[in-house]
Amino acid sequence: TLPKDQQAEHAHGVITRGLGVVEKMLEKCAGKFCVGDQVTLADCCLIPQLGNAYRFAVDLSPFPLIQAVEANANSLDAFRQAHWTQQPDCPPELRNNSA
C-alpha cells in the first residue's frame, strides 16, 4: 500500500496510462460507442471509469475518442440514470441533479 500522500499521484498515472491504451484500441473499433454504433459491455465498463478520471483530475483532452464515446453515452437516459451521483445512496452534497 502506498503512503496516503502518494496515492492520488499514483492513481492519476495509472488512469492516464489505461485511458491511453483504451484510446488506441478505440482507433480500430469505435463508432458512436466503443465498438461501433451500438452500446456494448465495453461502454458500460468505460463510462464509470471516467468518474475516477474526473476524481483524480486526469486531462481527457488527449483522448478525443473516449470523450466522444462519453458524450454519446451521456445522451442516453440509461447512462444518465446509472451515473453514481443519481443513486439513492449518493450523499446529498455530491448529488448531481443535472445528470
Side-chain angles (χ1 to χ4, degrees), residues 58-88:
V58 172
D59 177 12
L60 295 181
S61 64
F63 312 118
L65 295 173
I66 290 173
Q67 289 179 306
V69 167
E70 179 186 32
N72 289 323
N74 286 337
S75 74
L76 302 175
D77 284 340
F79 279 91
R80 288 193 304 268
Q81 291 171 7
H83 195 274
W84 68 270
T85 61
Q86 299 302 301
Q87 303 315 302

Side-chain angles (χ1 to χ4, degrees), residues 26 32-50 69-70 72-73 76 79:
L26 293 179
K32 288 174 62 178
F33 298 99
C34 288
V35 183
D37 293 332
Q38 299 294 318
V39 173
T40 66
L41 182 59
D43 304 292
C44 295
C45 294
L46 174 62
I47 300 307
Q49 290 306 313
L50 295 178
V69 167
E70 179 186 32
N72 289 323
L76 302 175
F79 279 91

